[in-house]
Each structure stands twice: as C-alpha cells, then as structure tokens.
Amino acid sequence: MAEQKNFLITEEVINIQEVVDKVTDRNAGAINTFIGTVRELTKGKKTLYLKYDAYVPMAEKKLAQIGDEIQIDFPEAKVAITHRIGELGITDIAVVIAVSTPHRADAFTASRYAIERIKEIVPIWKKEHWEDGEEWIGDQLEKKPYPSGKPEKEDLQ
Amino acid sequence: MIKVLLFAELEEKAGQREVEISAEEMKISDIRIYLLNKFPQLTVINTAMPAINEEYAEDEVKAKAGDNVAFIPPVSGG
C-alpha cells in the first residue's frame, strides 16, 4: 500500500504518479512537477553513483514546513514532496515535487521555491562516488554560500 | 542522558551515528566541545548547524536529558 504522507523520505524508487495524485484537486487548473535526477557530470567530473542520507524525521518535518510556507503565499496550493535516499545511479530520480494551484503561474513559482528551499533547510546529504574517490557534498546552492558554514537564522525560519 | 546524532561527514569521521552524554543539561556549544574532545578529528562539526528535537537551534540553547541533539552539516538534497 502506498504511503499517503505528502512529505516523505523513502528508500524506494519514487512513483511520480503517486506524488501527483496527492495534490490532484477539483479546483486546480495546474499541477506542476519538478523531478530531480542524478547527473553524471559535475564540473567535468564523472559520478558513478550517489548515496543520499537523511535525518529522516527532521527531513520530513522540514519538507512539511516548505509546504506550509508555500501555503502562506498560495493558500489554495496543494504540495507533495518525496525524496529518495540510499544508493542512486545516474538518471535515477532523487526528488519529486508536485504542486497544484488554481492557476498555472503559482504552481510554477511554488515548485521552484520548494526545490530551492530543500537545498537550504532539509537535512539530506549526498555523497558523490567517482572513479578516483568519494566526497560528501556540502552546500550546493552555489549562488548563495554560507559564509559562516551554516544556514543563517533567516534561512531557517 | 542526552542523545547526540551525527550525520554524513560527521558520522564518518566519528565512526558512529549516535553518542550518548550522561548529563541533565548541557549547552549546545559545550556539546560541540565535548565531541571535539572525544573525537579530535571531528573539526567539521564547527560548520554544522545544531538541532534539538528536530528543530534548528542556537548554540546558546541548553539541551536537557531526553532531548535528541543533532549536528547538521551543510545540506545537499535535491
């Protein structure tokens, strides 16, 4: 039986349709999905596979917080996010975000917000495994490094 | 007793995911010092964000017996 939680960390392959079904709504005119996949090349370096780890209860709580934040701006939005952990190969799906809203613009905005926010506050880590080594990847926002090495207070509200 | 959770690089460096500290209460900043004494190789803990009972917390906050403290290295989900 499929998990019915809207904000979920799983070790299983993510079924995109199940995530979409959680936000299906008669008042929705749009469902936007974001699908995050495992990329082979990062800055020219070839990844063989990734391992994701998470602080599961806190990660699910923080995913739910992102849903709450979206509903402040878009009260009619429905949000579901599933993030996979464990070992993932190239092209595997790591995260699926689905947002439904009455009008499409809000669904696009909210979906983008959710993935950016995941990279700020959700305790999930990936370890890249290459032919010649492995490394836990830290902040990958690139455009927004944490000068103090951690999220600032305003990032965590 | 305070339970401390270590993740990702911290877990690897410490060689364990959980540490138990026998104390009634302890400031987060003192827990960092305690862990650095126990695991001198754990310097990356200084870039980790603390959490108490699954919520981000400040270094000055005191954890109490029964609390779950976690040190969250910079995240990289998505």
Side-chain angles (χ1 to χ4, degrees):
Chain A
M1 186 60 205
E3 267 283 357
Q4 284 310 302
K5 283 156 82 175
N6 275 36
F7 302 97
L8 183 68
I9 303 293
T10 179
E11 292 184 19
E12 311 293 321
V13 171
I14 302 174
N15 180 325
I16 298 168
Q17 188 61 48
E18 277 179 14
V19 184
V20 171
D21 288 346
K22 291 175 191 171
V23 303
T24 299
D25 190 284
R26 295 178 70 87
N27 292 318
I31 296 177
N32 188 282
T33 56
F34 173 85
I35 300 166
T37 55
V38 178
R39 173 179 60 230
E40 182 166 47
L41 290 173
T42 298
K43 291 172 184 160
K45 204 156 189 178
K46 189 173 172 178
T47 299
L48 301 178
Y49 63 95
L50 293 184
K51 269 189 189 159
Y52 281 97
D53 191 12
Y55 180 13
V56 175
M58 182 168 170
E60 291 185 342
K61 222 163 145 177
K62 291 287 137 186
L63 291 176
Q65 178 185 325
I66 293 171
D68 291 343
E69 289 172 1
I70 286 171
Q71 281 176 334
I72 291 170
D73 283 341
F74 309 112
E76 292 173 281
K78 282 193 165 178
V79 184
I81 306 173
T82 300
H83 200 301
R84 186 176 167 194
I85 56 172
E87 190 172 316
L88 275 73
I90 308 304
T91 75
D92 281 352
I93 294 171
V95 60
V96 175
I97 297 167
V99 182
S100 69
T101 56
H103 301 283
R104 67 185 177 280
D106 293 348
F108 278 114
T109 303
S111 166
R112 175 71 191 261
Y113 176 83
I115 185 62
E116 300 300 338
R117 202 74 173 121
I118 284 171
K119 291 167 187 286
E120 288 176 347
I121 64 164
V122 182
I124 300 173
W125 303 273
K126 75 174 167 193
K127 190 178 195 181
E128 290 184 355
H129 292 255
W130 312 298
E131 280 160 331
D132 60 346
E134 56 185 45
E135 194 183 326
W136 285 104
I137 305 302
D139 158 52
Q140 48 170 184
L141 292 171
E142 290 163 9
K143 63 183 194 305
K144 190 180 180 196
Y146 299 141
S148 61
K150 61 191 187 187
E152 300 301 334
K153 209 171 183 180
E154 62 269 22
D155 293 327
L156 306 171
Q157 302 300 308
Chain B
M1 197 180 59
I2 299 167
K3 190 159 92 175
V4 182
L5 300 168
L6 302 170
F7 296 99
E9 199 177 351
L10 293 176
E11 177 183 6
E12 257 178 31
K13 291 257 161 71
Q16 57 197 85
R17 196 171 173 101
E18 286 188 26
V19 178
E20 288 178 345
I21 302 177
S22 309
E24 278 308 304
E25 60 173 36
M26 201 168 180
K27 249 164 71 173
I28 297 281
S29 52
D30 292 332
I31 294 177
R32 277 189 207 269
I33 294 164
Y34 173 94
L35 290 171
L36 274 167
N37 282 329
K38 191 175 166 77
F39 308 105
Q41 71 279 23
L42 209 63
T43 50
V44 284
I45 200 165
N46 291 319
T47 65
M49 188 76 191
I52 299 180
N53 299 331
E54 300 159 16
E55 277 301 337
Y56 289 106
E58 297 293 319
D59 257 35
E60 301 74 45
V61 177
K62 279 181 181 165
K64 295 181 183 60
D67 282 347
N68 287 322
V69 173
F71 285 93
I72 315 282
V75 302
S76 52

